[in-house]
Amino acid sequence: MTAIQAVHIRGYEERSAPKPHTVYRIEIQAHVRSWQMWRRYSEFDDLHTELSKAVGSPPPASLPPKHKFAFIRSRTDTKLLEDRRSGLESYLRAILSAKEDQWRESFPFKDFLGIPVSRQGIGPPTQFTASTWLDEHIELQARIRAVRADINKRDALSDCGDIAGSHAANVAAKAKLAGISTRISTLEKGLEDLGLSGMSEGELQRRTDIVARLRDDHEKLTRMVTVARQTSRPSAGTLNTPVPESDREALLGANVFKPVTRVFGAQPKETEQTRPLDNHGIFTMQQMQMQEQDQQLAALSTILQRQKHLGMAIGNEIGTQIELLDDLSNDVDRVGGKLTATNRQLNRLG
């Protein structure tokens, strides 16, 4: 981890999207560079919960308390905002200066301060949050698509007789394929940790299926890269020396040989992509396109799941706000009743 020398919360500002809220400017100073992050109070609250789960005990300091009607007062009460800014700064400093380093060395704290993954060590991440797990999955999908593209290029060049180009494409595919298996295992281990930290059973099962598809794709690509294609291809010299018709008739008989063509109902139209491919290459390309479509559908499903969770979170927040407004209305009614009774007593005394 980048050695943090100091952390300050210098100020705050109001933002209106997606709804009015306050964000605090955190300034982080390291040995060779400084940067800043903007975080709202609810993100501090999420950090406190994640640190407690990851370490097994709460951080050495507590967050400044929530106020019952903070959503009404916070944008106008300067003293409340300043007290909260000071309390949040003390919270971060307590974690950094604690004798035990288990909180500041945990992944949620590093992620909260915006320390890039590449600064935590060489190579891919080994610890994940729910969002960084999906980022790693997208990265692995991109690498697998790149390997497929190299395999298609290898087969196309081989069909054209470019042996050197075909070999170079196969070497490139092998290089991109190296390390994917280890990263899939790391992704699977990270998913187990997320399950222990409280991920819902349905989401856990969905991501388990995603890992299984990644592993299946990796095994198929490994076989395609390491095993030579079964269809034999004539050498360049053979292509330039046609077989005499007399030899063909002597071996097969007259009028036996018929040229093989691909017929799918109407006469197919060749494209630049399919022209250099044989039947096996066309079939392989079609299978890969279908797999890419399946992966795109899986990515769409992931996006829809996020939208669903956002909708549920918005609904819960609205329900909480309604309850607070109901409490406020009840308090107003109660105070109004007391004022009415007091006025009656004053009238009697008068």
Side-chain angles (χ1 to χ4, degrees):
M1 174 182 175
T2 301
I4 303 301
Q5 293 182 318
V7 170
H8 303 278
I9 300 182
R10 302 290 191 184
Y12 51 84
E13 67 179 40
E14 293 291 330
R15 294 184 181 176
S16 58
K19 62 180 181 179
H21 63 280
T22 303
V23 290
Y24 297 88
R25 187 178 76 250
I26 308 172
E27 297 182 359
I28 304 103
Q29 297 178 4
H31 284 300
V32 296
R33 64 184 292 264
S34 301
W35 68 95
Q36 66 180 22
M37 301 290 295
W38 292 91
R39 299 293 187 187
R40 58 189 301 181
Y41 181 83
S42 60
E43 291 178 289
F44 278 90
D45 192 36
D46 293 340
L47 171 66
H48 188 83
T49 302
E50 290 184 6
L51 287 177
S52 300
K53 289 181 178 179
V55 178
S57 60
S62 58
L63 291 170
K66 296 181 180 179
H67 297 277
K68 188 174 184 181
F69 304 111
F71 70 99
I72 297 176
R73 299 168 48 199
S74 61
R75 295 193 297 273
T76 58
D77 193 336
T78 304
K79 183 179 184 305
L80 174 63
L81 290 172
E82 186 60 30
D83 290 344
R84 178 168 285 181
R85 182 203 64 78
S86 177
L88 294 176
E89 184 179 69
S90 300
Y91 175 79
L92 293 178
R93 288 182 176 180
I95 294 176
L96 288 174
S97 60
K99 183 178 180 181
E100 298 82 4
D101 62 355
Q102 50 191 349
W103 295 286
R104 61 176 174 270
E105 290 297 329
S106 65
F107 180 74
F109 188 72
K110 298 176 184 178
D111 185 58
F112 182 81
L113 290 183
I115 300 173
V117 172
S118 59
R119 297 180 182 275
Q120 299 174 28
I122 300 175
T126 57
Q127 292 179 301
F128 302 97
T129 63
S131 59
T132 57
W133 191 96
L134 291 174
D135 293 338
E136 175 70 2
H137 165 246
I138 293 172
E139 170 66 20
L140 287 176
Q141 279 187 319
R143 291 179 70 92
I144 286 176
R145 285 195 296 269
V147 172
R148 286 200 184 97
D150 285 335
I151 292 175
N152 284 337
K153 181 180 178 181
R154 176 202 68 181
D155 294 340
L157 292 173
S158 179
D159 289 335
C160 294
D162 188 352
I163 305 302
S166 175
H167 176 71
N170 197 57
V171 171
K174 286 183 178 180
K176 293 176 182 176
L177 199 60
I180 291 183
S181 178
T182 302
R183 293 179 68 171
I184 292 176
S185 298
T186 303
L187 202 66
E188 193 170 19
K189 178 62 169 61
L191 184 59
E192 294 177 1
D193 295 338
L194 290 175
L196 294 176
S197 64
M199 178 174 285
S200 65
E201 183 176 351
E203 180 67 10
L204 191 63
Q205 182 59 48
R206 188 184 71 83
R207 297 194 183 195
T208 301
D209 295 339
I210 288 176
V211 174
R213 285 196 294 270
L214 282 177
R215 193 173 294 281
D216 184 59
D217 290 342
H218 174 264
E219 292 175 355
K220 290 178 180 177
L221 292 176
T222 301
R223 289 194 296 269
M224 293 176 69
V225 167
T226 56
V227 179
R229 292 177 62 180
Q230 298 300 317
T231 55
S232 60
R233 298 182 177 82
S235 63
T238 307
L239 287 173
N240 295 329
T241 308
V243 178
E245 289 293 333
S246 57
D247 294 345
R248 187 177 298 164
E249 291 180 1
L251 179 64
L252 301 176
N255 300 325
V256 172
F257 178 76
K258 294 182 179 180
V260 178
T261 59
R262 297 196 297 269
V263 178
F264 305 99
Q267 183 67 25
K269 294 182 179 180
E270 290 285 3
T271 65
E272 293 297 329
Q273 189 176 13
T274 60
R275 186 169 291 112
L277 303 179
D278 59 5
N279 287 339
H280 180 79
I282 292 289
F283 177 75
T284 303
M285 184 181 69
Q286 182 186 26
Q287 292 294 106
M288 290 183 177
Q289 289 177 347
M290 293 174 63
Q291 290 175 357
E292 289 181 0
Q293 291 173 356
D294 290 341
Q295 291 176 348
Q296 292 171 358
L297 287 175
L300 177 61
S301 175
T302 300
I303 294 173
L304 293 176
Q305 286 287 341
R306 289 182 179 176
Q307 296 295 331
K308 175 185 175 182
H309 293 159
L310 285 174
M312 294 175 63
I314 291 172
N316 293 335
E317 179 65 20
I318 291 174
T320 302
Q321 300 297 335
I322 290 174
E323 292 178 0
L324 291 173
L325 289 174
D326 289 341
D327 293 340
L328 178 61
S329 178
N330 293 334
D331 291 342
V332 171
D333 291 340
R334 185 167 57 255
V335 173
K338 292 181 179 179
L339 289 174
T340 301
T342 303
N343 286 333
R344 289 175 181 173
Q345 292 177 1
L346 290 174
N347 290 334
R348 291 176 185 174
L349 293 175

